[in-house]
Amino acid sequence: MLHYRTQGFNGCAVKYSPFFDNRLAVASSSNFGLVGNGRLHILELTANGIQPLKFFTTQDSLYDLAWSELHENQVLAASGDGSIKLFDCTANEFPIQNWKEHGREVFSVNWNPVAKDRFCSSSWDGTVRIWSPHRPQSLLTLPTHSCTYSASFCPHNPDIISCVTSDSYVRVFDLRTPASASNHLVTQIPIHAAPTAPAIPGQPGGPAPPAEALTHDWNKYRPTVLATAGVDRAIRTFDIRAPQQGPLCTMLGHEYAVRKVAWSPHLSNVLLSASYDMTCRVWNDRSDTNPAGDMDLMRGGPGGPVVGAELGRMGRHTEFVTGVDWCLFGNEGWCASVGWDESLYVWDVRAAMS
């Protein structure tokens, strides 16, 4: 396990480069993101541990980041002042581009992995915006009418984008559809509506009350499956083909809110989570027991959704864990996590599982 301290700045997000197996970036904020500067760290894994390559200091907190899919040295950062900044590792200390249309904090950015000339952002102002790095204004605004914590392009289809919001919904937009009154909205899944959902520890049985959804991620091998998590501590997976049928799987065990989930890029049934309970946990959603993909079987039949299995955990962080990401290269299982303890850890998920 490797460790690097982002001294004076509390980590908010971490991402591996899609181009270099030894490079990653961390978005961080001073004073836990409440007030003060932000800093984008560009780091390299070397024989002597994790070494800083470059850093950029910003006037406001940085909450998320995304590596460019077009240029190996460029990184997007989501800022608390409502702006999105594009930095180049080979350039000077200032961003090479800056977009500012959001009315409140930008909480997530995501680069389209298929149509690589687009990226998206989500904000507390209740909108998701789609951008081109070649244009000064946004291409499209998708209203959610609720604080939007996470937005992401589907890795299987360049025209499908999803988001989760404070009103506890997953929204899926298809940009190929006419805008009309729906603004491309094609699916809206109530995360807490399933009457057969198992009770969450510490809460009475029956459906869980709505709670803010903070994070979600698309499965890299099953094009219609995504995972959500948030304040109620439960991780749920859904199939967007059957939005009213409730979750396929529920994973319970975190003691506080789940801040980040990330599906494995190597295994279709493995999920990683980061939580305010200061742990990262690895899960099996048990979809490997149903390779045919029958949704009724995956839901556990009349008894409700499948309950996923916790395979292991990493508990080295001493504060909220806010970000986690898988390495795309090398032996499957390497990942990185950051938290409010000013710490970045690079570790092997397989060791935590054993």
Side-chain angles (χ1 to χ4, degrees):
M1 183 179 292
L2 301 176
H3 176 258
Y4 178 83
R5 187 180 178 197
T6 57
Q7 188 167 1
F9 290 86
N10 311 105
C12 294
V14 60
K15 292 287 175 64
Y16 275 95
S17 166
F19 294 98
F20 301 106
D21 61 356
N22 67 330
R23 185 175 294 181
L24 45 80
V26 173
S28 62
S29 304
S30 59
N31 303 307
F32 308 101
L34 299 175
V35 65
N37 301 107
R39 179 166 289 178
L40 177 67
H41 308 258
I42 310 298
L43 307 170
E44 286 197 340
L45 306 177
T46 72
N48 296 318
I50 303 173
Q51 300 294 326
L53 179 65
K54 196 174 183 70
F55 67 83
F56 302 92
T57 302
T58 58
Q59 291 186 337
D60 212 313
S61 303
L62 297 182
Y63 293 127
D64 197 20
L65 73 153
W67 285 94
S68 168
E69 294 283 348
L70 291 173
H71 195 294
E72 67 271 18
N73 290 314
Q74 294 181 359
V75 188
L76 281 174
S79 177
D81 64 2
S83 70
I84 304 162
K85 304 179 188 299
L86 183 65
F87 294 94
D88 192 305
C89 302
T90 62
N92 55 26
E93 61 189 63
F94 301 106
I96 59 173
Q97 282 184 263
N98 187 79
W99 298 269
K100 189 172 183 181
E101 293 183 18
H102 284 293
R104 292 195 62 190
E105 291 88 339
V106 182
F107 213 65
S108 79
V109 285
N110 179 257
W111 207 290
N112 194 321
V114 183
K116 300 184 178 184
D117 60 345
R118 283 183 275 173
F119 63 88
C120 68
S121 61
S122 71
S123 169
W124 293 3
D125 66 5
T127 65
V128 173
R129 293 179 187 263
I130 298 172
W131 312 79
S132 165
H134 309 300
R135 292 186 56 176
Q137 290 87 30
S138 62
L139 304 175
L140 185 65
T141 299
L142 303 171
T144 65
H145 310 292
S146 187
C147 180
T148 309
Y149 289 108
S150 172
S152 177
F153 280 103
C154 176
H156 309 276
N157 189 316
D159 295 307
I160 293 179
I161 186 171
S162 59
C163 66
V164 293
T165 52
S166 60
D167 62 0
S168 188
Y169 276 88
V170 180
R171 291 176 171 86
V172 181
F173 301 88
D174 190 335
L175 305 184
R176 298 166 297 185
T177 62
S180 64
S182 66
N183 292 291
H184 304 287
L185 181 67
V186 293
T187 303
Q188 186 167 273
I189 304 174
I191 295 173
H192 296 84
T196 55
I200 296 172
Q203 295 182 355
E212 290 189 312
L214 302 178
T215 178
H216 80 301
D217 192 33
W218 288 91
N219 190 284
K220 307 306 185 290
Y221 294 91
R222 290 175 281 158
T224 61
V225 174
L226 49 77
T228 70
V231 171
D232 75 345
R233 301 167 285 161
I235 303 168
R236 298 175 176 87
T237 65
F238 294 90
D239 193 313
I240 63 172
R241 296 172 297 178
Q244 301 305 320
Q245 298 304 309
L248 301 175
C249 175
T250 302
M251 288 160 268
L252 306 172
H254 278 297
E255 299 169 17
Y256 292 102
V258 180
R259 180 63 182 80
K260 184 71 175 178
V261 292
W263 285 102
S264 168
H266 306 289
L267 301 169
S268 66
N269 60 313
V270 173
L271 182 73
L272 197 58
S273 61
S275 169
Y276 290 165
D277 67 9
M278 298 184 282
T279 68
C280 295
R281 306 194 189 197
V282 56
W283 307 84
N284 183 344
D285 73 346
R286 298 189 186 275
S287 59
D288 54 337
T289 63
N290 177 36
D294 184 274
M295 284 191 290
D296 289 331
L297 288 176
M298 289 178 69
R299 240 175 239 111
V306 170
V307 177
E310 182 183 329
L311 302 178
R313 67 182 70 177
M314 191 280 277
R316 293 287 293 273
H317 286 282
T318 57
E319 258 292 356
F320 293 170
V321 189
T322 52
V324 68
D325 192 40
W326 296 86
C327 182
L328 300 173
F329 303 95
N331 293 329
E332 62 189 45
W334 284 97
C335 73
S337 60
V338 293
W340 279 11
D341 55 359
E342 302 182 3
S343 289
L344 161 73
Y345 288 102
V346 173
W347 49 285
D348 189 347
V349 173
R350 294 165 298 180
M353 291 168 59
S354 63

